[in-house]
Amino acid sequence: RLHALMGKGSGDKMEVEGAKRAKTEVPELKSFSKTLECLKTMVGQLVEDKRNGGGTGAAAQELAKRCITKVAEVRRDSRQAHDAADRLLREAEAERLRTDTVSQQLQNLQYQKIHLSRELNVCLSYKGTEGLDLISEEDFEAATTEEQRKGPRGSHDYELARLTVEMKKREEVIKALKQQELRRKLYEGKLAAQRKFLDGLSGHLDTIHAAAEPVRKEFNKSGAVPSLDKADANAASLLPAPLYSIYYQAHAYEVAFLDTATTAIVGDRAEALAYVKAQATQTPKSPSGAESKKRKRRKQLEEDGESLLAAHPLSVSVQLPPKEGAPPPPPPLPPPL
């Protein structure tokens, strides 16, 4: 420890200066250095006398005794210097702890200063509630009690309570918005799954369409059924779509069960041909400008109703034999007027 104070074995300038200050400030270290220098001088003189051949006289013996006494003094001063070094180390440790404490306090004060400076800047730059879309004072007073307002209008507590209510209100709006966003994502996921399912149906629809192609050809007016003759096929092409489907289904039943069903097209075929041509060339009449809107509308409805309710010249007759033991069938209905 004494060597550390004296800066042994290092050329660092600060340690040497510290050792020099220790020599000048610590009396024990100063006395040890002085006694050591004196011992070095005496030993050097004794060695010099022995080299010159005079180291056996009384003077040499006296000098040797003084050297032994000086060694004892050096040991005493060394113990005192070590004790002084320990004392200095304890004092230095105490000073270091005190310095650390003061430094920590100073650092805390600096942090507090920075925090207070920021808060002061916020307070100085506060422009009030101008420009903010806050709840009106009337709505705020209607929604709160006098205790919740904490003061009259314009006071700091009043504005603080008003801002608190506005903040809670906006937090609720944000929460509701997040819930709606979550619901939107869920619905988007469901719609994506349904869209994927619908996109996958196109292949199935194509398969069904291909499978139904023979049936569509069977019920298509452009192609005649092989079991029909040309006259019946031409008459069937003049039938309306619902009656055409009924006729072909009944004809298929007749072909399958030759002895039990009879299907025929009844009516004037020339009149039916004229009727079909008239329906194809019929154009709506433009109403006169002198009639009122209500009269135009009524007239248009009457004309459309007449054309829709007009009887078709052709009809389909289907006769099925009754079951065994069943009552006789009722007489056929009279033809439409």
Side-chain angles (χ1 to χ4, degrees):
R1 287 172 294 191
L2 180 61
H3 293 309
L5 287 173
M6 295 177 64
K8 178 185 177 182
S10 68
D12 190 75
K13 186 177 180 180
M14 295 180 62
E15 293 184 359
V16 173
E17 292 178 354
K20 289 181 179 179
R21 286 196 302 270
K23 288 182 180 180
T24 57
E25 294 176 1
V26 181
E28 293 83 356
L29 186 58
K30 185 178 180 180
S31 176
F32 171 73
S33 300
K34 184 178 180 181
T35 305
L36 188 60
E37 292 294 333
C38 183
L39 178 61
K40 288 180 181 181
T41 304
M42 294 172 64
V43 171
Q45 185 179 356
L46 183 61
V47 171
E48 187 67 24
D49 292 342
K50 285 184 177 183
R51 286 178 181 177
N52 296 330
T56 58
Q61 292 179 1
E62 183 64 25
L63 184 58
K65 291 180 181 179
R66 288 172 57 192
C67 287
I68 294 173
T69 304
K70 191 60 68 175
V71 169
E73 292 178 0
V74 168
R75 294 179 65 183
R76 181 197 62 192
D77 292 341
S78 176
R79 286 192 300 270
Q80 292 177 358
H82 278 83
D83 294 340
D86 291 337
R87 185 179 71 252
L88 287 176
L89 290 175
R90 288 192 297 269
E91 292 177 356
E93 182 66 19
E95 287 296 326
R96 186 186 65 80
L97 293 176
R98 190 177 69 84
T99 302
D100 292 342
T101 303
V102 174
S103 299
Q104 186 68 29
Q105 293 176 354
L106 178 60
Q107 190 175 9
N108 293 336
L109 290 175
Q110 289 178 347
Y111 289 153
Q112 291 180 6
K113 177 185 175 182
I114 294 173
H115 175 70
L116 292 176
S117 298
R118 291 176 181 174
E119 295 295 328
L120 287 174
N121 291 331
V122 172
C123 294
L124 292 175
S125 61
Y126 180 67
K127 299 180 180 179
T129 58
E130 298 179 359
L132 297 177
D133 187 12
L134 298 179
I135 183 174
S136 63
E137 295 180 349
E138 292 78 10
D139 296 339
F140 171 67
E141 293 177 357
T144 56
T145 61
E146 186 175 357
E147 295 180 355
Q148 293 175 344
R149 291 192 290 270
K150 300 179 181 180
R153 285 189 180 184
S155 62
H156 177 74
D157 294 335
Y158 181 89
E159 294 297 330
L160 185 61
R162 184 181 172 194
L163 289 173
T164 303
V165 171
E166 181 66 23
M167 181 182 66
K168 292 181 179 179
K169 180 180 177 182
R170 295 192 179 188
E171 287 177 352
E172 293 177 355
V173 172
I174 293 173
K175 184 178 180 181
L177 178 61
K178 290 182 179 179
Q179 293 179 353
Q180 294 298 328
E181 287 289 337
L182 182 60
R183 292 182 61 187
R184 181 181 64 82
K185 291 180 180 179
L186 293 176
Y187 284 133
E188 286 179 352
K190 292 181 179 179
L191 288 176
Q194 293 177 358
R195 190 177 293 110
K196 184 178 180 181
F197 173 74
L198 293 177
D199 293 339
L201 289 179
S202 60
H204 297 287
L205 293 177
D206 294 339
T207 304
I208 296 173
H209 186 270
E213 184 67 21
V215 180
R216 290 191 306 105
K217 289 182 178 180
E218 186 73 18
F219 287 96
N220 192 358
K221 294 184 180 181
S222 60
V225 179
S227 59
L228 286 176
D229 56 10
K230 185 176 181 181
D232 291 338
N234 292 334
S237 64
L238 299 176
L239 293 173
L243 200 58
Y244 179 85
S245 299
I246 295 174
Y247 173 73
Y248 265 83
Q249 292 177 12
H251 176 72
Y253 185 84
E254 179 185 1
V255 172
F257 306 97
L258 295 176
D259 299 334
T260 58
T262 303
T263 306
I265 299 176
V266 181
D268 190 352
R269 301 185 180 185
E271 185 180 354
L273 181 60
Y275 178 84
V276 172
K277 289 181 179 180
Q279 291 288 333
T281 59
Q282 185 179 5
T283 56
K285 299 179 181 180
S286 59
S288 176
E291 294 177 341
S292 63
K293 293 182 179 180
K294 188 179 294 185
R295 188 176 302 171
K296 294 177 186 178
R297 180 64 177 168
R298 187 183 302 112
K299 186 177 180 181
Q300 186 68 26
L301 290 175
E302 290 176 356
E303 292 177 357
D304 294 342
E306 291 177 358
S307 61
L308 291 174
L309 297 177
H312 196 276
L314 298 179
S315 61
V316 177
S317 174
V318 180
Q319 295 182 1
L320 298 175
K323 294 182 179 180
E324 296 180 359
L333 295 175
L337 298 177

